[in-house]
Amino acid sequence: MATVRDICVAAGFNVVTALAFLLAFAFLRLQPVNDRVYFPKWYLKGMRDSPSSAGAAVTKYVNIDFRSYFKFLSWIPAALKMPEEELIEHAGLDSVIYLRIYRTGLKIFVPITILAFAILVPVNWTNDALEGLKVVQSDIDKLSLSNVPYGSKRFVAHVVMAYAFTFWTCYVLLKEYEIVTTMRLCFLASEKRRPDQFTVLVRNIPPDPDESVSELVEHFFLVNHPDHYLKHQVVYDANKLADLVEKKKKMRNWLDYYLLKFERKSKRPTTKTGWLGCFGSDVDAIDYYKSEIEKIGKEEAEERKKVMKDPKSIMPAAFVSFRSRWGAAVCAQTQQTSNPTTWLTEWAPEPRDVYWNNLSIPFVSLTVRRLIIAVAFFFLIFFYVVPIAFVQALANIEGIEKALPFLEPLIERPSIKSFIQGFLPGIALKIFLIVLPTILMYMSQFEGLISQSSLERRTASKYFIFLFFNVFLGSIITGSALEQLKTYLHQSANDIPRTFGVAVPMKATFFITYVMVDGWSGVALEITRIRAFVIFHLKNWFLVKTEKDREEAMDPGSICFYWSEPRIQLYFLLGLVYAPVTPLLLPFILVFFALAYVVYRHQIINVYNQRYESGAQFWPQVHLRIIVALIVSQLLLLGLLSTKGLEEATPALLVLPVLTIWFHKYCKNRFEPAFVRNPIQEAMKKDILERAREPNFDLKSYLADAYLHPVFKSDEVDKFFVADDPGAEEVIVPTKRHSRRTTPVPSVQSKQDGSDRLLLPESVLER
């Protein structure tokens, strides 16, 4: 168990590490050669020129203006200076609301920390209950609830503080939900025209023996949405073609590399034909990649023809666009037929948000896929207990000495012991979690979600569940069991819950070490962009020949919501759980929120280029997870006090989860509809304003290729079907169908004309 000395050593090490990263960033960002690494967003916007394009040879790479080095911390006020409205215009609403999560953390925990240290720390410290217990402990544990004697009336202070913490957290969450909802509605109202505002994704289109998918979609929407339907784009299964295009692109990159190498050395380069270019026979690299590109080009052409001609390549899904936002809103938010399992409609993601690979997955297989992933996720959580237990073993010196007795003389040295208990468990846990978000993202992709934003939200949910069960509960249970194993073995079964109740608050020392490693050093490492730094300079040295190549070599990245947001939620969970139990953890969490807010604000302004804009659709999940953390903290305090002889506090504490759940239901009913549905009234307002301002705008041309698969962007492949503006004359909707399963009942006028087909304006038939 970590002592005061261990925590101080770990804090010193992480502070030095974080400062080293920040100073390295402050120096590297001033060098002209790194300008595209640390300010790529401004280059993508065309608002910054490369400082290495002119001037003396030295100044192209190194900043020789020594006065600028005295302002190496100027990036901090610059990151905080941009107003929120300007930041929304610059980076989008998603980025701004992401930053509000950190601000919410500061709003919640600053007052809680002050209250906890003013009231609970003195209450805990001025007792000596731990001295009479035969449990493994340290001086830090005297600041926890464990140091209050069994049955003491002082626990009333913890109950009162639990109420204060709950009410303050709910108040902040309510205000933030109101603010975020208002910001979202204002953003949607003021947002520029986007293809997804007019487009709906239709899935599970029923097969028809008489018409193709494209003809069926055309007929269905001309009949059922005659005044608003504009065009449609069927969905192709072009995954294999996309793979070939990507493979060809990689081959071109290698060819460019070897051509550049040949220009520099005037010697024909060679490569191996085997795996990763490390095995097989030596061949001329330029000729080899030219032949590979030609070979892949032929395969690509054949696959392209197959996709265009083969009806099996057309999926029972389509992007359908309307003449107005109102028409799209009505279609997206209503049931289309009496059969609720066919003609399923939902808002289309914006084009850059579409995850094209999953559009080719049959809709009927989605349920099976989700069941498979649910089972796989359960086993992943179950088997990941092993590395979590290993991490907790590292935090237990006695366990290491028993497993590796030859290391005992080395481990018992004060500096080594402090390093092991104060730093090693945190870094070990961080290492075990590195690949997990990527695994969870692959699992979400297998489920069949059709947008990047939904994939990230689903992965974030999985990651939070994992962190809750394995990192939080797993660390508490396994860590307490390992530390107090000797005590458990020498006491009666009736005393084990009491010992466990004492041990749980003392696990705060482990989480303190993790917060310092992940929340201090990890955040500081983020701003240095080590990976992007290395990759850019490798590409710049070996592949870049033109300014366009240099721009493509930039990797601005984006907010990786699927792993960064659950990490924030873990800190909310730790802070709320340990606030009434072991308040010492709170200052470490405050440092994380403050540092992360400044760092990520800088990255959003200067670096990140978001791949999509969802209009803050993730906020309801953020709110829900903080509510879950609050309820867990209440239940855990209830359980701990029951082991400390204060059963009479149970009714008082049971009220808190009930009130918190009621508060969540209120927020869900009051605010969440704004995040899942678009108001018809707002859509109509925007349509009217747009028609008044731009009466001659050509919406057809604007939407022409918006939802065409990227591999077809340059081809003339089955473009959108386009219906012209409606006229006054009514004619019959043509159809090849012999049956009338989805055709409406003939109108009175059609019966009088002797026709059994529905009458519509003539111009909707023209292409």
Side-chain angles (χ1 to χ4, degrees):
M1 178 175 291
T3 63
V4 175
R5 174 188 170 88
D6 302 335
I7 296 297
C8 290
V9 169
F13 185 86
N14 283 285
V15 167
V16 170
T17 303
L19 287 176
F21 288 143
L22 293 175
L23 289 174
F25 160 73
F27 174 79
L28 292 173
R29 64 183 284 272
L30 295 175
Q31 310 310 313
V33 72
N34 298 326
D35 207 55
R36 290 180 180 269
V37 176
Y38 295 108
F39 301 96
K41 187 160 193 167
W42 298 103
Y43 283 93
L44 294 175
K45 286 179 170 285
M47 301 173 66
R48 193 179 182 97
D49 295 324
S50 177
S52 62
S53 60
V58 176
T59 58
K60 291 181 180 180
Y61 302 98
V62 181
N63 183 0
I64 59 175
D65 182 8
F66 294 101
R67 290 175 297 179
S68 63
Y69 291 96
F70 292 105
K71 300 178 181 179
F72 67 96
L73 293 179
S74 61
W75 66 271
I76 297 177
L80 301 174
K81 186 178 180 181
M82 183 178 287
E84 199 167 64
E85 294 78 10
E86 185 180 344
L87 188 56
I88 292 175
E89 183 69 23
H90 176 71
L93 185 64
D94 281 345
S95 299
V96 173
I97 299 305
Y98 175 78
L99 290 174
R100 288 199 75 90
I101 303 176
Y102 295 105
R103 290 178 60 181
T104 302
L106 291 172
K107 289 179 181 180
I108 290 175
F109 288 114
V110 168
I112 286 179
T113 302
I114 295 173
L115 274 177
F117 272 78
I119 298 175
L120 294 182
V121 168
V123 169
N124 296 338
W125 178 261
T126 54
N127 288 280
D128 56 358
L130 287 175
E131 295 180 2
L133 296 176
K134 297 179 180 179
V135 295
V136 180
Q137 58 174 291
S138 68
D139 292 337
I140 293 178
D141 300 320
K142 293 180 180 179
L143 298 174
S144 71
L145 178 145
S146 300
N147 199 39
V148 181
Y150 183 84
S152 174
K153 298 300 181 183
R154 292 192 174 195
F155 287 120
V156 174
H158 298 82
V159 175
V160 173
M161 285 297 98
Y163 270 85
F165 298 162
T166 297
F167 289 151
W168 173 250
T169 302
C170 290
Y171 173 77
V172 173
L173 288 178
L174 177 64
K175 291 299 180 182
E176 287 298 311
Y177 220 147
E178 289 178 351
I179 293 171
V180 173
T181 302
T182 303
M183 292 175 67
R184 171 177 165 81
L185 293 176
C186 291
F187 176 78
L188 294 177
S190 61
E191 193 178 23
K192 296 178 181 178
R193 184 187 295 109
R194 292 196 327 192
D196 55 294
Q197 297 170 352
F198 301 88
T199 306
V200 168
L201 174 62
V202 184
R203 307 182 77 179
N204 212 26
I205 299 172
D208 191 284
D210 303 314
E211 295 183 329
S212 67
V213 173
S214 182
E215 293 168 339
L216 186 59
V217 171
E218 171 191 335
H219 178 263
F220 181 88
F221 283 94
L222 281 173
V223 169
N224 296 290
H225 298 267
D227 298 326
H228 303 283
Y229 168 67
L230 181 64
K231 57 182 69 176
H232 72 269
Q233 172 64 62
V234 294
V235 174
Y236 291 94
D237 182 4
N239 290 349
K240 184 177 179 181
L241 178 59
D243 291 340
L244 290 172
V245 170
E246 184 63 25
K247 186 178 179 181
K248 184 178 176 181
K249 182 179 177 181
K250 291 180 180 179
M251 291 295 178
R252 287 189 183 279
N253 288 338
W254 279 111
L255 178 60
D256 290 341
Y257 164 72
Y258 283 113
L259 286 172
L260 189 60
K261 188 176 181 181
F262 177 60
E263 290 176 7
R264 290 175 177 174
K265 296 186 177 181
S266 299
K267 181 181 178 181
R268 299 284 291 188
T270 60
T271 186
K272 294 183 181 295
T273 58
W275 183 65
L276 294 178
C278 300
F279 304 95
S281 57
D282 287 328
V283 295
D284 184 283
I286 296 175
D287 293 339
Y288 172 73
Y289 282 106
K290 282 183 177 179
S291 63
E292 287 295 309
I293 291 171
E294 184 179 356
K295 177 182 175 182
I296 296 172
K298 292 179 180 179
E299 294 180 15
E300 178 188 343
E302 292 177 2
E303 182 64 23
R304 194 177 296 270
K305 290 179 181 178
K306 178 183 176 182
V307 171
M308 292 167 58
K309 301 290 178 65
D310 189 359
K312 294 182 180 179
S313 297
I314 300 177
M315 306 305 298
F319 290 100
V320 180
S321 292
F322 295 81
R323 302 181 188 278
S324 65
R325 296 173 181 84
W326 187 91
V330 170
C331 181
Q333 298 169 175
T334 56
Q335 183 174 313
Q336 301 303 305
T337 68
S338 58
N339 184 353
T341 63
T342 61
W343 294 102
L344 303 178
T345 58
E346 60 182 289
W347 280 106
E350 64 166 321
R352 59 179 179 164
D353 190 21
V354 177
Y355 187 70
W356 294 98
N357 289 349
N358 283 356
L359 282 174
S360 62
I361 298 175
F363 187 82
V364 293
S365 69
L366 295 182
T367 302
V368 177
R369 284 170 169 262
R370 287 168 187 169
L371 177 62
I372 293 172
I373 290 301
V375 175
F377 184 56
F378 170 79
F379 283 104
L380 179 66
I381 291 177
F382 181 78
F383 287 111
Y384 232 93
V385 173
V386 176
I388 296 298
F390 172 75
V391 169
Q392 292 302 318
L394 291 178
N396 183 15
I397 291 293
E398 292 182 358
I400 297 176
E401 291 177 348
K402 288 180 180 179
L404 304 170
F406 62 90
L407 293 178
E408 183 174 351
L410 178 64
I411 292 176
E412 288 299 327
R413 294 181 181 179
S415 58
I416 301 297
K417 187 175 182 179
S418 297
F419 175 80
I420 291 175
Q421 293 193 315
F423 181 77
L424 192 59
I427 193 65
L429 180 58
K430 178 74 174 173
I431 291 172
F432 279 122
L433 295 177
I434 284 177
V435 298
L436 183 64
T438 303
I439 296 173
L440 297 178
M441 176 57 81
Y442 284 132
M443 294 174 72
S444 297
Q445 290 172 354
F446 183 81
E447 286 186 84
L449 300 172
I450 52 93
S451 67
Q452 297 282 352
S453 55
S454 60
L455 281 172
E456 294 208 1
R457 291 196 296 272
R458 182 66 62 86
T459 305
S461 297
K462 290 186 178 70
Y463 194 24
F464 175 74
I465 293 171
F466 180 91
L467 291 176
F468 176 76
F469 283 104
N470 286 61
V471 175
F472 178 68
L473 291 181
S475 296
I476 288 177
I477 295 171
T478 59
S480 301
L482 289 172
E483 288 176 355
Q484 310 300 335
L485 182 59
K486 184 176 180 181
T487 305
Y488 292 153
L489 295 176
H490 293 84
Q491 64 181 186
S492 65
N494 294 332
D495 293 331
I496 290 179
R498 182 179 174 186
T499 302
F500 185 76
V502 173
V504 167
M506 296 191 294
K507 284 307 298 174
T509 54
F510 166 74
F511 290 117
I512 287 173
T513 64
Y514 178 73
V515 170
M516 288 189 291
V517 171
D518 180 68
W520 295 9
S521 300
V523 170
L525 179 63
E526 169 66 23
I527 203 170
T528 60
R529 308 201 71 222
I530 295 297
R531 178 177 175 274
F533 176 87
V534 173
I535 291 177
F536 173 78
H537 285 295
L538 286 175
K539 287 183 177 180
N540 194 37
W541 180 259
F542 292 109
L543 296 176
V544 170
K545 293 184 291 185
T546 65
E547 282 298 316
K548 184 180 179 181
D549 294 337
R550 188 170 286 106
E551 183 174 327
E552 292 178 352
M554 291 190 305
D555 180 21
S558 62
I559 298 172
C560 294
F561 180 82
Y562 66 95
W563 67 262
S564 61
E565 191 272 341
R567 180 179 69 171
I568 305 172
Q569 296 298 339
L570 176 63
Y571 293 127
F572 275 106
L573 176 64
L574 294 177
L576 291 172
V577 166
Y578 279 98
V581 175
T582 310
L584 183 63
L585 182 64
L586 294 175
F588 296 90
I589 291 178
L590 281 180
V591 172
F592 160 75
F593 279 117
L595 178 62
Y597 178 73
V598 176
V599 166
Y600 281 99
R601 208 172 201 274
H602 172 274
Q603 299 295 82
I604 285 171
I605 292 173
N606 298 296
V607 180
Y608 296 150
N609 184 43
Q610 279 301 97
R611 293 175 295 176
Y612 60 83
E613 176 59 60
S614 70
Q617 280 189 314
F618 56 81
W619 186 260
Q621 293 183 341
V622 172
H623 176 88
L624 173 62
R625 287 194 268 271
I626 298 176
I627 290 293
V628 169
L630 189 58
I631 294 174
V632 170
S633 70
Q634 296 159 354
L635 296 178
L636 184 59
L637 180 63
L638 175 64
L640 290 175
L641 291 183
S642 66
T643 66
K644 301 288 283 185
L646 202 69
E647 290 82 359
E648 58 269 22
T650 299
L653 287 174
L654 277 176
V655 174
L656 288 178
V658 175
L659 290 176
T660 305
I661 293 172
W662 174 85
F663 168 76
H664 171 64
K665 285 187 171 293
Y666 167 78
C667 290
K668 183 180 179 67
N669 294 330
R670 172 65 181 83
F671 302 114
E672 190 169 319
F675 293 84
V676 296
R677 292 191 292 270
N678 286 5
I680 298 294
Q681 183 185 29
E682 297 299 321
M684 180 61 76
K685 283 181 181 179
K686 201 159 186 179
D687 287 335
I688 293 173
L689 286 173
E690 193 170 90
R691 291 194 195 102
R693 292 172 181 170
E694 302 177 79
N696 299 320
F697 180 76
D698 188 1
L699 187 61
K700 300 173 190 175
S701 300
Y702 176 72
L703 296 173
D705 294 338
Y707 286 96
L708 190 64
H709 197 291
V711 297
F712 297 135
K713 284 293 185 180
S714 59
D715 300 331
E716 298 298 325
V717 178
D718 194 18
K719 302 287 186 180
F720 270 114
F721 165 82
V722 180
D724 289 338
D725 293 332
E729 186 179 354
E730 294 181 339
V731 293
I732 298 172
V733 176
T735 176
K736 298 178 182 178
R737 184 186 292 107
H738 297 293
S739 62
R740 289 182 292 170
R741 291 193 301 270
T742 60
T743 303
V745 177
S747 65
V748 176
Q749 181 179 356
S750 64
K751 289 181 178 179
Q752 292 174 350
D753 294 340
S755 170
D756 62 349
R757 289 173 293 183
L758 188 66
L759 298 183
L760 287 175
E762 177 184 3
S763 54
V764 298
L765 305 177
E766 301 175 3
R767 287 181 181 246

